[in-house]
């Protein structure tokens, strides 16, 4: 983070430090040396395909599982040594929240809160506050079974917030919701992110882009990337080919064009991508180069008398980033 020179550098405090986490389930190594930090005020996305190790990481963070080796500290407390303190700091929304469907929302949250032994007045205050934070006030008298999945997820979030935790750990918080509910829950998470440090897991790349400040990508139990999405895209910038759509001047074949483009300084490889008829017949070429050679390609096309209908760097979407980062690890 760059600060103005008149300000002191204020790197955000590390709230969660995960170091060399290994989790072995019998013969299966679910986590194989996972390390990352989460800073105060961040919404951090733990991203990876199914089976990557996201839930296992979250269960260890929340002290529901012990690691085979490695450490987790939460606000300076070791999760394995000081589990009770860590559970006070963390609110956890597991992937499938066990809710008592025949209970009324208010009673259910009071029931969950009562397990923490709050005095009655304090308990009512905390339930009311959690209900306010997740926007459930109109539904306090509803049976959980009457609620949509999105609103049930809000009950799960209210439950995670009851003890006023500093950090929220949300395991696949939008899984199983319909598109409108997904938008609502994502907005709610962003809102909660203003007052909490959040880790959420997802296998949905678009979700992480919309909700998270930073992403840790895990694949087969290892961290393959850690940074902001901009940083990740920057790191992979040399993987962005140039796409040029050309109506070739008469007498120039596609093979001629490929050969000429191949001769431009800095060009590594040229491919004919496809022909298209819209808006007029032309051919799309892809040019791989370490640098952005769009100006040189435009100058070459003008000199050769080709009409340029399209000229851009192929943007790497999150799917592309994910594939580029994980392809080395694929069997
Ligand atoms: P994710 O949450 O990213 O889908 P998990 O953490 O659930 O991944 O699982 C990581 C790996 O560990 C997977 O290969 C999974 O099959 C395995 N695994 C998870 N839980 C257990 C368990 N209780 N016993 C054996 N293997 C498990």
């Amino acid at each position: 983070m760059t600060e103005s020179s008149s300000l002191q550098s204020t790197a955000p405090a590390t709230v969660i430090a995960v170091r060399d986490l290994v989790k072995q389930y019998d013969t299966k190594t679910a986590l194989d040396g996972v390390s990352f930090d989460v800073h105060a005020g961040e919404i951090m996305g733990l991203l990876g395909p199914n089976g990557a190790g996201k839930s296992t990481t979250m269960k260890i963070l929340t002290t529901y599982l012990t690691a085979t080796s490695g450490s987790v500290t939460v606000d300076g407390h070791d999760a394995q040594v000081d589990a009770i303190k860590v559970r006070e700091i963390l609110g956890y929304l597991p992937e499938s929240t066990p809710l008592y469907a025949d209970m009324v929302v208010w009673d259910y949250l009071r029931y969950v809160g009562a397990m923490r032994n709050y005095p009655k007045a304090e308990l009512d205050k905390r339930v009311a506050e959690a209900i306010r934070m997740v926007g459930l006030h109109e539904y306090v008298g509803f049976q959980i079974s009457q609620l949509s999945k999105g609103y049930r997820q809000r009950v799960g979030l209210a439950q995670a917030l009851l003890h006023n935790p500093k950090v929220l750990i949300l395991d696949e918080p939008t899984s199983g919701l319909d598109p409108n509910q997904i938008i609502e829950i994502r907005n709610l998470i962003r809102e909660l992110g203003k007052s909490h440090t959040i880790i959420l897991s997802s296998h949905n790349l678009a979700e992480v882009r919309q909700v998270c400040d930073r992403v840790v990508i895990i694949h087969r139990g290892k961290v393959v990337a850690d940074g902001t999405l901009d940083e990740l895209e920057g790191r992979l910038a040399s993987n962005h080919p140039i796409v040029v759509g050309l109506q070739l001047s008469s007498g120039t074949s596609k093979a001629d064009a490929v050969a000429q483009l191949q001769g431009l300084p800095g060009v590594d490889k040229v491919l004919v991508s496809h022909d298209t008829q819209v808006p007029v017949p032309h051919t799309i070429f892809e040019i791989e180069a370490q640098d952005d050679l769009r100006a040189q390609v435009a100058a070459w096309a003008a000199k050769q008398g080709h009409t340029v209908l399209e000229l851009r760097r192929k943007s790497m979407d999150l799917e592309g980033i994910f594939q580029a980062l994980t392809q080395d690890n694929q069997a």
Side-chain angles (χ1 to χ4, degrees):
M1 186 192 286
T2 26
E3 297 280 344
S4 134
S5 56
S6 61
L7 293 174
Q8 274 208 313
S9 171
T10 49
T14 299
V15 177
I16 295 178
V18 175
R19 293 289 174 273
D20 297 323
L21 219 51
V22 172
K23 179 65 187 177
Q24 195 82 29
Y25 293 110
D26 299 323
T27 55
K28 170 82 197 172
T29 305
L31 299 180
D32 190 7
V34 167
S35 298
F36 59 83
D37 285 341
V38 187
H39 306 111
E42 240 176 8
I43 304 185
M44 200 279 272
L46 193 58
L47 183 69
N50 283 329
K54 303 181 295 295
S55 291
T56 301
T57 304
M58 291 186 146
K59 284 178 193 160
I60 295 172
L61 280 176
T62 51
T63 78
Y64 288 91
L65 267 185
T66 50
T68 306
S69 63
S71 70
V72 173
T73 49
V74 179
D75 237 5
H77 302 276
D78 186 311
Q80 322 243 12
V81 177
D82 209 353
I84 292 174
K85 182 72 197 164
V86 166
R87 286 189 190 197
E88 280 172 21
I89 302 168
L90 302 179
Y92 178 37
L93 180 72
E95 196 176 353
S96 43
T97 325
L99 297 174
Y100 295 101
D102 56 348
M103 282 181 96
V104 167
V105 170
W106 178 269
D107 294 344
Y108 172 72
L109 290 172
R110 278 193 95 257
Y111 168 76
V112 173
M115 291 184 212
R116 290 187 181 262
N117 294 325
Y118 297 123
K120 185 183 174 307
E122 169 77 4
L123 179 58
D124 287 345
K125 208 176 99 195
R126 284 179 184 257
V127 170
E129 176 61 9
I131 281 171
R132 186 195 62 74
M133 281 199 266
V134 302
L136 264 177
H137 32 280
E138 287 173 34
Y139 299 90
V140 286
F142 281 55
Q143 258 191 0
I144 291 171
S145 60
Q146 293 174 286
L147 300 178
S148 68
K149 268 192 151 181
Y151 274 84
R152 280 187 216 183
Q153 195 65 323
R154 285 176 197 247
V155 178
L157 278 166
Q159 169 181 280
L161 286 161
L162 269 180
H163 60 293
N164 197 20
K166 193 168 165 178
V167 180
L168 282 175
I169 310 277
L170 313 176
D171 197 353
E172 301 263 358
T174 60
S175 99
L177 303 184
D178 74 28
N180 286 333
Q181 294 165 349
I182 287 174
I183 292 169
E184 286 171 16
I185 294 294
R186 283 181 190 160
N187 288 341
L188 178 56
I189 293 169
R190 282 227 69 100
E191 196 54 41
L192 291 170
K194 292 177 186 166
S195 48
H196 296 81
T197 301
I198 298 180
I199 304 183
L200 71 87
S201 72
S202 179
H203 59 266
N204 183 324
L205 304 159
E207 172 155 289
V208 167
R209 181 186 281 295
Q210 282 170 25
V211 179
C212 300
D213 305 309
R214 197 161 65 83
V215 58
V216 168
I217 302 181
I218 56 173
H219 185 61
R220 299 193 173 187
K222 289 183 192 290
V223 172
V224 292
D226 179 347
T228 64
L229 290 167
D230 287 347
E231 281 166 3
L232 291 181
E233 279 169 335
R235 204 175 114 188
L236 294 162
S238 61
N239 291 19
H240 294 217
I242 294 162
V243 176
V244 59
L246 296 172
Q247 193 177 37
L248 297 173
S249 61
S250 63
T252 307
S253 69
K254 286 183 231 174
D256 294 338
V258 167
Q260 288 172 11
L261 282 165
Q262 198 85 63
L264 292 181
V267 169
D268 293 331
K269 195 171 164 191
V270 181
L271 297 170
V272 176
S273 170
H274 60 280
D275 291 330
T276 171
Q277 308 301 316
V278 184
V280 289
H282 64 286
T283 304
I284 309 291
F285 298 85
E286 278 193 19
I287 303 161
E288 287 180 18
Q290 289 303 307
D291 300 317
D292 182 354
L293 299 179
R294 281 175 299 177
Q296 290 84 334
V297 171
W300 162 82
K303 194 168 159 205
Q304 301 295 325
H306 308 314
T307 303
V308 178
L309 288 155
E310 179 181 7
L311 179 57
R312 62 184 167 88
R313 290 195 91 182
K314 195 170 173 176
S315 66
M316 184 166 292
D317 58 9
L318 271 168
E319 195 66 54
I321 292 174
F322 185 71
Q323 276 167 4
L325 290 169
T326 57
Q327 63 197 0
D328 294 345
N329 295 340
Q330 263 155 31

